[in-house]
Amino acid sequence: MSVANRPVHRPLSPHLQVYRPQLTTVLSILHRATGIALSVGALYLATWVIYAAASPKAYALFQSFNTSIVGRVVLGGWLFCAFYHLCNGIRHLFWDAGYGFELKDAYRSGWIVVTVSLIATAVSWVVGLRLV
Amino acid sequence: MSDLRTPLARARGLGSAREGVKHWWAQRLTAIALIPLVVWFAISLVMLSGADYEVARAWIGSPLVMVLLILTIVIGLHHGQLGLQVVIEDYVHGDGWKLALIVAVRFVAVVFGVAAVVAILRIGFGG
């Protein structure tokens, strides 16, 4: 192995373990986490349509899970992920267009995203899923 | 063992900046398309979460819903696949695993997408 190819073991940045979590970093990680959750959720919702096309029995089976406690939590969680990823995604599109990079703007838009997505989630839970 | 090829030769064929822009654009375009679709879908989901068989089928099978639902599922799965690819590229370091996972995610997205579209058309056109 040549000198240039030899692996060098240096500490890697960023040193997550010594950083205090900040709004901006937490929201960034949450965007990824909700994105992954929504991808799995998309398969679940595709399955819903497939069961509806299959037979009344298959659909009833699917709905019995949907209306159970676990199913309500899954749907409620999906709605939160959808609203959060939607709001924060719009925030990302503004960044892509070159707006909102100042620190105070990034914090303000971050809190707007948190507020709007929590309100939308709460409304959907109360009105639709009747979780409360 | 030393490699006699130059660094440029080793880098060739591993992708270029021009290709990356395509992925970036596709991610943004699908994101913009999903803004109205997800709002519509979330409201529908909330209204229909406890719907029985007949109600759900009547809803899925109406013409406007068929169009919007197919768009939501296909664009949503595409956007999800693009996003998961970035996550895989960031966190999976072995080239073999990385490629295998990206291909697997893409296959799963296409299979579920086609199955869902067929299901929607079947409900709409009666089969």
Side-chain angles (χ1 to χ4, degrees):
Chain A
M1 192 180 274
S2 70
V3 175
N5 291 337
R6 198 174 296 154
V8 184
H9 296 289
R10 296 194 188 95
L12 292 170
S13 169
H15 310 284
L16 286 177
Q17 69 279 15
V18 298
Y19 268 121
R20 185 167 54 87
Q22 301 160 77
L23 181 71
T24 43
T25 56
V26 170
L27 294 189
S28 172
I29 292 164
L30 200 56
H31 194 70
R32 275 214 160 169
T34 52
I36 295 168
L38 286 168
S39 301
V40 179
L43 302 183
Y44 176 70
L45 295 168
T47 310
W48 173 57
V49 179
I50 293 163
Y51 272 56
S55 71
K57 215 175 149 192
Y59 186 78
L61 185 75
F62 194 78
Q63 274 305 67
S64 68
F65 174 75
N66 259 347
T67 47
S68 70
I69 302 289
V70 183
R72 298 272 101 173
V73 172
V74 169
L75 284 179
W78 187 91
L79 283 167
F80 168 72
C81 291
F83 289 131
Y84 174 77
H85 200 86
L86 176 72
C87 293
N88 203 49
I90 293 170
R91 184 167 170 244
H92 268 280
L93 288 172
F94 273 101
W95 283 334
D96 291 336
Y99 299 105
F101 280 112
E102 291 296 325
L103 195 59
K104 73 171 180 23
D105 296 334
Y107 268 88
R108 191 193 291 154
S109 61
W111 283 118
I112 291 172
V113 164
V114 171
T115 309
V116 173
S117 51
L118 285 181
I119 290 172
T121 305
V123 170
S124 71
W125 284 6
V126 173
V127 174
L129 302 183
R130 299 198 175 81
L131 282 176
V132 184
Chain B
M1 202 177 82
S2 69
D3 190 341
L4 294 175
R5 293 185 308 160
T6 64
L8 178 63
R10 278 198 296 274
R12 274 199 180 125
L14 291 175
S16 71
R18 275 186 291 261
E19 274 179 47
V21 177
K22 209 162 112 192
H23 181 286
W24 190 92
W25 254 116
Q27 206 173 18
R28 267 69 192 170
L29 286 183
T30 50
I32 293 167
L34 282 168
I35 294 172
L37 289 171
V38 165
V39 170
W40 166 78
F41 185 75
I43 293 170
S44 308
L45 183 72
V46 160
M47 316 264 272
L48 284 158
S49 66
D52 63 25
Y53 183 68
E54 297 303 329
V55 174
R57 281 177 67 100
W59 181 75
I60 295 169
S62 62
L64 180 66
V65 173
M66 278 173 76
V67 172
L68 292 177
L69 203 52
I70 289 172
L71 285 173
T72 306
I73 289 176
V74 170
I75 299 174
L77 285 170
H78 187 198
H79 185 78
Q81 178 265 315
L82 291 167
L84 287 180
Q85 183 182 341
V86 176
V87 174
I88 292 165
E89 285 167 350
D90 281 354
Y91 302 128
V92 180
H93 298 306
D95 280 344
W97 272 109
K98 191 186 293 188
L99 185 64
L101 279 171
I102 290 170
V103 170
V105 164
R106 204 169 264 216
F107 279 9
V108 169
V110 171
V111 167
F112 272 80
V114 171
V117 169
V118 168
I120 292 165
L121 294 177
R122 224 186 121 195
I123 292 169
F125 297 121

